[in-house]
């Protein structure tokens, strides 16, 4: 334990621990998934309708040849009488277009999208957003003015990469969204010759270096006290006779001052007693 360390010391150590590390993986596919709630707020007084922001972003690495996305939403709820119809839009390169328009295939409660990716989308973000309509029949029972349609959903995105050349995935996280990519099971086209062709370069903790970064340190007060006593000790070591003589003079002076103060107090006390006796005799 090192109680002398504060939060800023810990943050400095944390920054020094983070180093860029390249990790090879034996796969040609990566994925990212997330959950959310699509909400529809209806203001009965004004008729205004409000929707939540559901945009999410996925990095498209160099060499990506295929994007598969599965969108699953709980559009029907018998308890609240809710019914809805939601769809997933995919904007490759964030150019404002919906590249998934008409590409979705309905599979039970899910929509499945399978898109071919070319190099125009490489090294860019793809924006995923949710749109649609929903109605809640029994919502007015709880709140006639602000009743809400709430549709939980999940999105699972899988990217397949062409490993005819080595591919390194490295990008900065968007501060407003969690956007990491993780390796997943290889595709049917993967073979052993592709092992190590895909790598991830990302910040990682250098746990082996933690011990070397944490060293005991003295506070400023301890440092000042240590410096004073160290200087006195050094003087005694260099000039023992002189320092002993000075110490003796200090002790004699202190003793003389104490003796003088004691005599002065005794004289004052005697004078007070004599005055009291004279007053008693006079009375």
């Amino acid at each position: 334990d090192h109680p002398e360390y504060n939060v800023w010391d810990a943050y400095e150590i944390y920054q020094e621990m983070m180093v860029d590390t390249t990790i090879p993986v034996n796969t040609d596919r990566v994925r990212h998934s997330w959950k959310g709630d699509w909400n529809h707020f209806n203001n009965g007084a004004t008729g205004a309708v409000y929707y939540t922001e559901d945009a999410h972003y996925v990095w498209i690495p160099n060499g990506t040849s295929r994007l598969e996305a599965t969108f699953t939403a709980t559009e029907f709820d018998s308890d609240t009488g809710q019914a809805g119809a939601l769809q997933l839009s995919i904007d490759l390169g964030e150019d404002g277009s919906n590249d998934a328009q008409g590409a979705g295939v309905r599979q039970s409660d899910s929509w499945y999208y399978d898109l071919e990716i070319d190099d125009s989308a490489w090294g860019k973000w793809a924006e995923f957003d949710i749109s649609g309509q929903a109605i809640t029949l029994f919502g007015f029972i709880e709140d006639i003015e602000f009743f809400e349609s709430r549709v939980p959903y999940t999105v699972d995105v899988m990217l397949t990469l062409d490993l005819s050349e080595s591919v390194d995935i490295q990008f900065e996280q968007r501060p407003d969204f969690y956007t990491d990519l993780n390796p997943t099971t290889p595709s049917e086209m993967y073979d052993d010759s592709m092992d190590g062709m895909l790598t991830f370069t990302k910040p990682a903790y250098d746990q082996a270096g933690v011990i070397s970064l944490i060293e005991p340190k003295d506070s400023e007060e301890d440092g000042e006290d240590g410096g004073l006593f160290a200087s006195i000790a050094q003087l005694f070591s260099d000039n023992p006779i002189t320092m002993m003589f000075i110490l003796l003079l200090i002790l004699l002076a202190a003793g003389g001052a104490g003796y003088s103060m004691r005599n002065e107090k005794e004289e004052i006390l005697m004078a007070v007693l004599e005055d009291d006796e004279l007053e008693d005799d006079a009375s």
Side-chain angles (χ1 to χ4, degrees), residues 8-9 32 84 92 118 141 165 212 242:
W8 297 112
D9 295 325
H32 178 58
L92 298 173
D118 57 32
I141 297 177
E165 298 180 357
S212 63
T242 303

Side-chain angles (χ1 to χ4, degrees), residues 13-282:
I13 292 174
Y14 160 78
Q15 288 183 313
E16 294 184 17
M17 285 174 56
M18 297 296 291
V19 296
D20 286 338
T21 303
T22 299
I23 305 170
V25 293
N26 297 332
T27 185
D28 62 342
R29 295 198 299 189
V30 295
R31 77 188 315 159
H32 178 58
S33 60
W34 65 95
K35 298 180 180 180
D37 282 328
W38 181 89
N39 292 283
H40 165 202
F41 299 92
N42 179 28
N43 187 334
T46 64
V49 179
Y50 306 93
Y51 300 92
T52 53
E53 173 63 51
D54 291 283
H56 200 92
Y57 299 86
V58 175
W59 180 257
I60 306 299
N62 293 344
T64 302
S65 59
R66 183 182 182 187
L67 184 153
E68 298 172 83
T70 303
F71 169 63
T72 304
T74 307
E75 297 173 321
F76 300 96
D77 187 345
S78 59
D79 293 337
T80 60
Q82 176 178 282
L86 304 184
Q87 288 187 341
L88 177 69
S89 64
I90 304 174
D91 180 7
L92 298 173
E94 295 184 90
D95 57 5
S97 62
N98 182 8
D99 297 284
Q101 182 69 39
V105 177
R106 185 79 179 193
Q107 297 178 347
S108 184
D109 294 334
S110 302
W111 285 92
Y112 174 73
Y113 301 83
D114 190 348
L115 305 179
E116 293 185 1
I117 307 298
D118 57 32
D119 56 3
S120 64
W122 293 356
K124 299 177 182 178
W125 295 99
E127 179 182 352
F128 292 74
D129 203 358
I130 312 298
S131 61
Q133 296 291 333
I135 185 173
T136 303
L137 298 178
F138 306 143
F140 65 90
I141 297 177
E142 297 181 0
D143 190 336
I144 193 171
E145 183 176 4
F146 296 101
F147 54 89
E148 172 186 354
S149 294
R150 174 180 174 271
V151 182
Y153 66 85
T154 60
V155 181
D156 184 36
V157 178
M158 184 160 55
L159 306 176
T160 303
L161 289 83
D162 178 9
L163 295 183
S164 56
E165 298 180 357
S166 298
V167 175
D168 181 60
I169 298 178
Q170 182 179 15
F171 61 94
E172 292 186 7
Q173 294 283 339
R174 292 181 72 119
D176 49 348
F177 295 94
Y178 174 75
T179 55
D180 204 8
L181 290 173
N182 297 296
T184 187
T185 54
S187 68
E188 296 178 355
M189 303 298 295
Y190 186 85
D191 58 54
D192 294 341
S193 64
M194 299 179 182
D195 287 354
M197 296 288 288
L198 177 61
T199 57
F200 282 82
T201 299
K202 58 175 61 180
Y205 291 109
D206 181 14
Q207 296 182 354
V210 175
I211 302 302
S212 63
L213 295 174
I214 302 177
E215 298 179 352
K217 66 176 185 177
D218 297 327
S219 63
E220 294 182 0
E221 182 178 353
D222 292 340
E224 292 176 358
D225 293 343
L228 175 62
F229 289 121
S231 299
I232 295 174
Q234 185 65 34
L235 288 174
F236 271 95
S237 177
D238 295 340
N239 306 284
I241 298 176
T242 303
M243 292 303 298
M244 289 296 294
F245 179 72
I246 293 174
L247 180 60
L248 181 60
L249 290 178
I250 293 174
L251 292 175
L252 290 174
Y259 181 76
S260 176
M261 292 177 63
R262 179 179 178 183
N263 288 340
E264 184 177 353
K265 289 181 179 179
E266 290 179 352
E267 291 176 357
I268 294 173
L269 180 60
M270 292 297 295
V272 171
L273 292 175
E274 289 177 358
D275 290 341
D276 291 341
E277 290 178 356
L278 291 174
E279 290 178 359
D280 292 340
D281 293 340

